[in-house]
Amino acid sequence: MDIFIQQLINGVTLGSVYALVALGYTMVYGIIGLINFAHGDVVMIGAMAATTIAISLVGGDPSTSAFVVLGVGLLVSVPLCMAVGWTAERVAYRPLRRAPRLAALITAIGVSIILQNVAMMGWGRNYLNFPQVLSPQVFEIGGARMSSLQIAIVVIAALIMGGLLAVVHKTRLGTAMRATAQNREVAGLMGVNINTVISAAFLIGSALAAVAGMMVATYYGVSQYTMGFMLGLKAFTAAVLGGIGNLVGAMAGGLLLGIIESLGAGYIGDLTGGFLGSHYQDVFAFFVLVLVLIFRPSGLLGERVGDRA
C-alpha cells in the first residue's frame, strides 16, 4: 500500500506540471484550432532562463534566499516566455490563420526546431544544473514520503488552474475567449477584437509554460535545450486525453497521465522484472494516447464547445 501511495504522490506531482503545459495547448486549439507543437519548447526556454538566473544569483552570493532566486527567476522567465509566445503567434501563425491546418501544423513544428536551435546556440548542448537553493522537508504519509517541494508544486499548480478558470468564466476577456472559440467571425461582428483575444491566449499559455518550466527545473534539478520536446508531447497527450479544447479536461488529463505514468513505471516495472520500468515510462503515456484516439477521439470529458478558451 505504501508503494501505491508513493507512486500516487509522484504521479500527482508530475501530472500537475503536465496539466499546466496542457492548458497552453488546449487554449490555443480551442480558439484557433492550432496544435502548437512549439509550446513544449517555450517551457524549455522558461526552465533554461530560470536556471541561468539561479546559477548567476547563487554563484554571486551562495547565501541568497531561495525565495529571491525563484522570484527573480520567474520575473525573468515569465516575460521572456510571453515574448516568445507572442512573437511566434504574430510572425509565424497569424499570417497562416486562413491557410489549411496542415500549413499551420508544419509551421509549428518549424518554430519548435528554431527555438531548440536558438536555445542550443545560447545555452550550449550540456545540461544546466539548477542550484540546490531549497532544502525540502519530507513528510511521511501512510509509509510514503512527500516533500514540501512536491506539495508546493501541486498547490501552486492548483491555484493557477483555479485562477485561469476564474479568468475564463468571470471576466470580459474570458467571455471574449469563449465567444471567439465558438465562432470567430460572429464574435468579430459583435465587437470582439479577435487578434487581441488570440494574442492573449498565447500570452497566458506562455506564462503558464514559464511557471511549468521553473517547476521542472527545480524538481529535477537540470534543464537542457531538448527537454521541451518530450514534455510537450506528453502535455499534448494529456490535453487529448482529457478532451482538447476543454480546460477542465486538460487539467484532468494531465493529472491522470501523470498518475498512469507513475503507476505503470512502478507496478508494471516490477511485474516485468524491471524490463518496463521507469526508463520506459514514456511508453505508457503514448499507449494511453493510442487507446484514447481509437476508442474516444474527443477525449474522456468530450469537447464542450462553450467551455473552450
Side-chain angles (χ1 to χ4, degrees), residues 94-274:
R94 186 175 296 185
L96 299 174
R97 196 170 293 169
R98 296 187 180 278
R101 289 192 178 184
L102 182 60
L105 178 62
I106 294 174
T107 301
I109 296 174
V111 172
S112 172
I113 295 173
I114 290 172
L115 292 179
Q116 284 189 31
N117 282 271
V118 169
M120 181 188 66
M121 290 185 290
W123 282 290
R125 295 175 178 270
N126 297 326
Y127 284 87
L128 297 181
N129 296 316
F130 196 93
Q132 293 293 327
V133 296
L134 295 173
S135 299
Q137 185 177 357
V138 178
F139 303 94
E140 294 284 342
I141 303 177
R145 296 162 63 88
M146 185 174 190
S147 68
S148 55
L149 178 58
Q150 289 178 308
I151 296 174
I153 289 175
V154 173
V155 171
I156 292 173
L159 291 176
I160 292 175
M161 290 185 284
L164 179 61
L165 286 177
V167 168
V168 170
H169 292 283
K170 302 294 184 181
T171 66
R172 292 184 62 184
L173 175 61
T175 301
M177 284 182 171
R178 287 183 283 125
T180 304
Q182 291 185 20
N183 193 307
R184 271 187 286 170
E185 288 72 19
V186 173
L189 292 174
M190 297 299 292
V192 176
N193 190 324
I194 305 301
N195 290 330
T196 299
V197 170
I198 295 175
S199 295
F202 274 89
L203 289 172
I204 294 173
S206 298
L208 297 180
V211 177
M214 168 75 84
M215 289 180 175
V216 172
T218 306
Y219 187 58
Y220 291 104
V222 295
S223 58
Q224 202 244 2
Y225 77 99
T226 60
M227 63 179 286
F229 176 73
M230 186 59 66
L231 179 60
L233 284 181
K234 289 184 179 181
F236 170 68
T237 302
V240 173
L241 175 61
I244 192 165
N246 186 324
L247 292 179
V248 177
M251 300 175 193
L255 292 173
L256 184 58
L257 183 63
I259 293 172
I260 290 172
E261 273 196 17
S262 294
L263 293 179
Y267 283 96
I268 298 180
D270 290 340
L271 293 175
T272 59

